[in-house]
Amino acid sequence: MVEVDTGMDRCGVDTAQECLALARQVMELPGLRFEGITGYEGHCSLTFDNELRHERQREAMTFFTGVADLLEANGIPCKIRSAGGIATWRWTAGYPGLTEIQAGTYVVMDNYHGRMVPHFEHSLTIQASVISRQSGKVIVDAGNKSVAAPDEVTIVGHDHKVFRFDEEHGIFSAPLGSPLQVGDRVTLVPGYSPSTVNWYDAYHVVQDNVVVDIWPIIPRGPGHHGLAGLAAPAR
Amino acid sequence: MVEVDTGMDRCGVDTAQECLALARQVMELPGLRFEGITGYEGHCSLTFDNELRHERQREAMTFFTGVADLLEANGIPCKIRSAGGIATWRWTAGYPGLTEIQAGTYVVMDNYHGRMVPHFEHSLTIQASVISRQSGKVIVDAGNKSVAAPDEVTIVGHDHKVFRFDEEHGIFSAPLGSPLQVGDRVTLVPGYSPSTVNWYDAYHVVQDNVVVDIWPIIPRGPGHHGLAGLAAPAR
């Protein structure tokens, strides 16, 4: 796969001609096979306004499918055309000429992406405990080492705004008081799940308030099977 | 130990009288022994100006040692008086009445704390590789999932400013070019090490360019012995 920069201003070829030249080079090299192009339009995820985001997505995909067209016009089959993120998945999935959508965050969701794509449920939460009720605040034992994008963290069932997140403390404002007391367990919805999941070794899969399974978060790297690894040690 | 809030506006008792009442309660309870007070003045670490930081540190420690004085005046020995962070360690270590310093970051250091406390060497670095040299940029394969406080990340031996850090990409500006090429290995100094260390399972201890040991980062939690664990499996 050749990466095409569709607007992230990051890695990938910048023009269709560059892509054509690189695809030809790939095809000439032994042991390599050209399969297609990938052009995640992730810059659109930074645009909250729906209209403007859609406009940027269209612009990115017009360019991207144009690259595929140039390849095919030059006799290079472009089987895979992969793009699309959580914030643009519907538009990119419906765009003619795409074969694969890269959206992933929808599986777990978070508050950041939820603002742009509100129709997915939030399946990823962080379990924490209240450790202090000082000075009109609710302080929990999950800080910015436990939940990413802490400014957007919310407590399920409680309307407390984030005051500040330190490394091991999550601090919420409760100027009008709170039913939460020291020792209470709370459920946090992360601000940003793509940078939260990688801090943990395992998902605890909960169904009807019961942990029914533990899934290791293997992509963290080798040896990260955490609790799941302990439950089923290698023999 | 009773926590005293010396200015963090977080957990801990807010007044000497509250501390006295809590210490008495501790002493009356079976199975508990009152050992002293802890009052990390971490809010000072957010003040870069040396004079102002020193002023805040003095204010915090005046209050903190006053709490200990009140306890002792009431017949409660306050054996441990623990405070001090990396950004105030010298002043707090020299402050009369303290018995323990909590500074820790000096062991590894980072660019954030280095601005305030420049006299410690940086022993913690992140090994990365250059994966792209697009558009006047140097792009490495360590992003904001690999190095905390990415805005302050630097490359050892190269004067490239951070352009942007995405999850898996670190992007540096190189408008005047760079000797770095795709495949080159680079050494990154983290912006903030207290939130970087916990993302890894092991330190690779390097002496004269040779990895001489691998230390597991055990405080990450159970089962996190990473490469070190693989090297010495439980029998």
Side-chain angles (χ1 to χ4, degrees):
Chain A
M1 305 275 288
V2 169
E3 182 168 1
V4 177
D5 191 334
T6 57
M8 281 292 275
D9 199 13
R10 203 167 62 182
C11 301
V13 294
D14 282 327
T15 67
Q17 286 298 336
E18 273 177 53
C19 188
L20 179 60
L22 186 54
R24 281 183 171 144
Q25 211 177 335
V26 165
M27 293 171 78
E28 282 163 14
L29 286 169
L32 287 182
R33 190 175 65 237
F34 177 75
E35 284 285 309
I37 56 176
T38 175
Y40 169 57
E41 71 279 22
H43 59 296
C44 299
S45 297
L46 304 172
T47 307
F48 282 103
D49 181 82
N50 262 289
E51 271 313 300
L52 189 56
R53 187 165 74 257
H54 196 172
E55 193 181 312
R56 291 195 172 148
Q57 178 273 343
R58 267 193 304 257
E59 201 180 310
M61 288 308 107
T62 303
F63 168 64
F64 186 63
T65 51
V67 173
D69 290 346
L70 182 77
L71 292 171
E72 302 224 321
N74 281 273
I76 301 177
C78 192
K79 222 165 55 185
I80 304 177
R81 299 103 178 269
S82 177
I86 170 69
T88 54
W89 77 273
R90 285 187 72 154
W91 303 322
T92 300
Y95 200 92
L98 274 289
T99 68
E100 187 180 89
I101 295 299
Q102 298 176 20
T105 303
Y106 74 93
V107 176
V108 288
M109 283 310 288
D110 58 39
N111 286 329
Y112 177 87
H113 293 96
R115 282 193 277 157
M116 286 180 284
V117 196
H119 42 283
F120 288 108
E121 286 180 57
H122 293 255
S123 65
L124 184 74
T125 58
I126 309 291
Q127 179 97 334
S129 294
V130 177
I131 53 169
S132 180
R133 284 289 282 106
Q134 282 292 98
S135 329
K137 300 197 179 70
V138 173
I139 305 184
V140 303
D141 61 355
N144 61 35
K145 282 180 173 176
S146 302
V147 201
D151 289 352
E152 302 202 37
V153 170
T154 48
I155 307 179
V156 173
H158 295 274
D159 193 22
H160 301 313
K161 295 260 170 292
V162 168
F163 174 75
R164 187 180 85 218
F165 262 61
D166 297 336
E167 274 122 273
E168 290 96 6
H169 299 76
I171 311 175
F172 295 86
S173 295
L176 306 173
S178 169
L180 289 169
Q181 297 182 347
V182 170
D184 282 354
R185 289 186 302 176
V186 291
T187 301
L188 307 180
V189 177
Y192 199 78
S193 63
S195 309
T196 297
V197 167
N198 54 302
W199 294 344
Y200 294 86
D201 283 324
Y203 294 104
H204 292 72
V205 186
V206 176
Q207 202 165 37
D208 298 328
N209 278 320
V210 175
V211 175
V212 294
D213 210 349
I214 295 178
W215 296 344
I217 300 174
I218 296 172
R220 285 204 64 225
H224 292 278
H225 297 190
L227 292 173
L230 290 178
R235 270 174 293 184
Chain B
M1 305 274 288
V2 169
E3 182 168 1
V4 177
D5 191 335
T6 57
M8 280 292 274
D9 198 13
R10 203 167 62 182
C11 301
V13 294
D14 282 327
T15 67
Q17 286 298 336
E18 273 176 52
C19 188
L20 179 60
L22 186 54
R24 280 184 172 143
Q25 211 178 335
V26 165
M27 293 171 79
E28 281 163 16
L29 286 169
L32 288 182
R33 188 175 67 238
F34 177 75
E35 284 284 309
I37 56 177
T38 175
Y40 169 56
E41 70 279 23
H43 59 296
C44 299
S45 296
L46 304 172
T47 307
F48 282 104
D49 181 82
N50 262 288
E51 271 313 301
L52 189 56
R53 188 165 73 258
H54 196 172
E55 193 182 312
R56 292 195 171 147
Q57 178 272 343
R58 267 193 303 259
E59 200 180 310
M61 288 308 107
T62 303
F63 168 64
F64 186 62
T65 51
V67 173
D69 290 345
L70 182 76
L71 292 171
E72 302 224 321
N74 281 272
I76 301 178
C78 192
K79 221 164 57 186
I80 304 177
R81 299 103 178 269
S82 177
I86 170 70
T88 54
W89 77 272
R90 286 188 71 155
W91 303 322
T92 300
Y95 200 92
L98 275 289
T99 67
E100 186 179 89
I101 295 299
Q102 299 176 20
T105 303
Y106 74 93
V107 176
V108 288
M109 283 310 288
D110 58 39
N111 286 329
Y112 176 87
H113 293 97
R115 282 193 277 157
M116 286 180 284
V117 196
H119 42 283
F120 288 108
E121 285 180 57
H122 293 255
S123 65
L124 184 74
T125 58
I126 310 291
Q127 179 96 336
S129 294
V130 177
I131 54 169
S132 180
R133 284 289 282 106
Q134 282 292 98
S135 328
K137 300 197 179 70
V138 173
I139 306 184
V140 304
D141 61 355
N144 61 35
K145 282 181 173 175
S146 303
V147 201
D151 288 353
E152 302 202 38
V153 170
T154 48
I155 307 178
V156 172
H158 296 274
D159 193 21
H160 300 314
K161 295 260 170 293
V162 168
F163 174 75
R164 187 180 86 218
F165 262 61
D166 296 336
E167 274 123 274
E168 290 96 5
H169 299 76
I171 311 176
F172 295 86
S173 295
L176 305 174
S178 169
L180 289 169
Q181 297 182 347
V182 170
D184 282 354
R185 289 187 302 177
V186 291
T187 301
L188 307 180
V189 177
Y192 199 78
S193 64
S195 310
T196 297
V197 167
N198 54 302
W199 293 345
Y200 294 86
D201 283 324
Y203 294 104
H204 291 72
V205 186
V206 176
Q207 202 165 38
D208 298 328
N209 278 320
V210 176
V211 175
V212 294
D213 209 350
I214 295 178
W215 297 344
I217 300 174
I218 296 172
R220 285 203 65 226
H224 292 277
H225 297 190
L227 292 173
L230 290 178
R235 270 173 294 186

